[in-house]
Amino acid sequence: MARLDVTEVFHGISFPGHLHTQDSLQLALKFPFQDTDILIVSYPKSGTTWVQEVVSLISSKGDTHISENVPNWARSPWLEQYYCAAVLESSSSTPRVLTTHLPQHLLGPALHGSKAKVIYVSRNPKDVVVSFYHFHKMANFLPEAGSFPEFLNLFLEGKLSYGCWFDHVTGWTNQTATMNNLYHITYEELSQDPRGAIKRLSSFLQCPLVEDEVNSCVKQCSFSSMKHNKMVNYTLVPEAIMDHDKGSFMRKGKIGDWKNMFTEEQSQHFNSVFKSKMQGCTLEFVWDERDKEETRADKLSPLNNTKL
Ligand code: A3P
């Protein structure tokens, strides 16, 4: 299935036709979740692959065998992508770990009444847009990136593939008030306090780890380790689909890289759009590596009402 130039528009949102069909998207909306499932939810470039790796390592108590031998899309497939059903059929592992980029308003009904554990991953949106821009340049299944100012406008207008970041984040995080089984983790929390973030996530997953197991997880999911692990760095994907001469999936792995791309004017415009679209949202984002005091879990996951 190449379909590199195909875009599927589904409920007004564009999805790359290389990975999605109308059928696969439609099937996702009726996905029969099991109460034992773990679902990782994110807007692209928010740290999805990182959390997939962390969840694999927590589930295997720090054992790196799966991390070193099974590609991330085979251990935690995207439920809206066309190959998901085949992957699930060929795997007997429990709990099943699934991933999705679908917004809450589309996937919410399928999750209604389910006890599946949902992990929502967010990242500050200025870094998301920069990471997404660079990813568009190497991913041949996404539209041309164009110039950064053009790309930034499309992001702010919610017109990029996978839809509007603002709707995605507010849609899912608003659910924390009513969904006991929803856990919110941030890219920045994982970056600034990996040990604490892994311990908290392992508690949510009811998979407590001893110190040596935590150490192994921390080491295996570090940026340098993941950058060289072909099971998660996407170098297994053929060049025609992801051109690694044009960039790396594991690009910089930093907080605040947006400062290298945004002009002062773009940053101010972004802030005003952010302010109007996020009105009433109490989430606080870490925009800069130096915002160390923001690493406290209660700051980073203010809506996290998970009952452990
Ligand atoms: P950058 O492009 O800013 O480097 P996703 O998996 O949601 O597509 O997100 C990809 C982003 O997460 C990329 O960001 C990638 O480098 C970053 N990332 C992945 N693993 C990471 C890790 N272990 N540490 C820090 N960043 C990581």
Side-chain angles (χ1 to χ4, degrees), residues 5-277:
D5 294 330
V6 178
T7 295
E8 295 289 357
V9 179
F10 185 71
H11 289 259
I13 300 175
S14 298
F15 293 89
H18 168 59
L19 296 161
H20 307 83
T21 63
Q22 289 293 324
D23 279 354
S24 72
L25 288 158
Q26 198 61 55
L27 276 173
L29 304 198
K30 296 186 202 122
F31 188 80
F33 285 101
Q34 298 171 3
D35 285 347
T36 49
D37 287 344
I38 297 171
L39 175 67
I40 300 166
V41 186
S42 66
Y43 188 84
K45 314 321 286 179
S46 302
T48 324
T49 317
W50 199 359
V51 173
Q52 287 175 325
E53 184 75 336
V54 170
V55 169
S56 293
L57 288 162
I58 290 174
S59 304
S60 57
K61 300 244 169 203
D63 186 306
T64 58
H65 181 79
I66 290 178
S67 156
E68 283 161 3
N69 292 284
V70 184
N72 63 317
W73 61 83
R75 37 179 143 119
S76 28
W78 275 257
L79 59 90
E80 63 273 24
Q81 298 184 356
Y82 75 93
Y83 59 81
C84 182
V87 169
L88 294 179
E89 259 166 44
S90 66
S91 154
S92 56
S93 68
T94 29
R96 299 188 302 185
V97 182
L98 299 147
T99 308
T100 187
H101 287 320
L102 289 175
Q104 197 280 332
H105 72 275
L106 292 184
L107 195 60
L111 278 166
H112 190 73
S114 165
K115 293 192 179 113
K117 292 186 172 64
V118 181
I119 303 165
Y120 188 71
V121 191
S122 72
R123 182 182 192 185
N124 92 58
K126 288 182 176 173
D127 282 339
V128 168
V129 68
V130 169
S131 178
F132 211 10
Y133 177 66
H134 290 288
F135 187 56
H136 271 64
K137 292 190 176 178
M138 68 176 297
N140 290 332
F141 54 85
L142 288 169
E144 287 291 317
S147 69
F148 182 66
E150 286 163 351
F151 190 86
L152 182 56
N153 281 338
L154 291 174
F155 179 87
L156 292 174
E157 290 165 6
K159 291 186 180 157
L160 293 177
S161 300
Y162 302 96
C164 175
W165 179 89
F166 300 96
D167 293 347
H168 205 283
V169 171
T170 54
W172 280 105
T173 57
N174 280 344
Q175 296 301 308
T176 49
T178 51
M179 275 177 77
N180 284 342
N181 52 338
L182 174 60
Y183 185 85
H184 181 196
I185 189 166
T186 66
Y187 181 99
E188 290 77 16
E189 175 185 1
L190 265 171
S191 175
Q192 296 185 318
D193 178 21
R195 176 170 295 276
I198 288 169
K199 282 186 180 174
R200 289 187 289 276
L201 186 54
S202 69
S203 298
F204 169 70
L205 295 176
Q206 293 167 319
C207 191
L209 304 174
V210 298
E211 228 31 45
D212 278 357
E213 294 164 348
V214 177
N215 290 343
S216 172
C217 293
V218 171
K219 190 169 168 223
Q220 188 71 9
C221 78
S222 69
F223 184 71
S224 56
S225 166
M226 286 182 64
K227 193 171 173 63
H228 296 108
N229 180 355
K230 61 182 189 301
M231 296 299 142
V232 290
N233 68 11
Y234 285 90
T235 52
L236 293 177
V237 174
E239 196 84 0
I241 296 168
M242 264 191 215
D243 190 342
H244 288 271
D245 287 338
K246 293 191 181 149
S248 303
F249 183 91
M250 296 292 164
R251 195 182 57 92
K252 285 198 180 172
K254 295 229 176 307
I255 300 172
D257 187 43
W258 63 271
K259 291 181 180 169
N260 296 315
M261 285 298 277
F262 277 62
T263 62
E264 184 52 35
E265 200 186 352
Q266 284 166 344
S267 181
Q268 292 201 359
H269 176 55
F270 192 105
N271 293 347
S272 74
V273 176
F274 181 89
K275 202 171 160 199
S276 80
K277 299 233 188 215

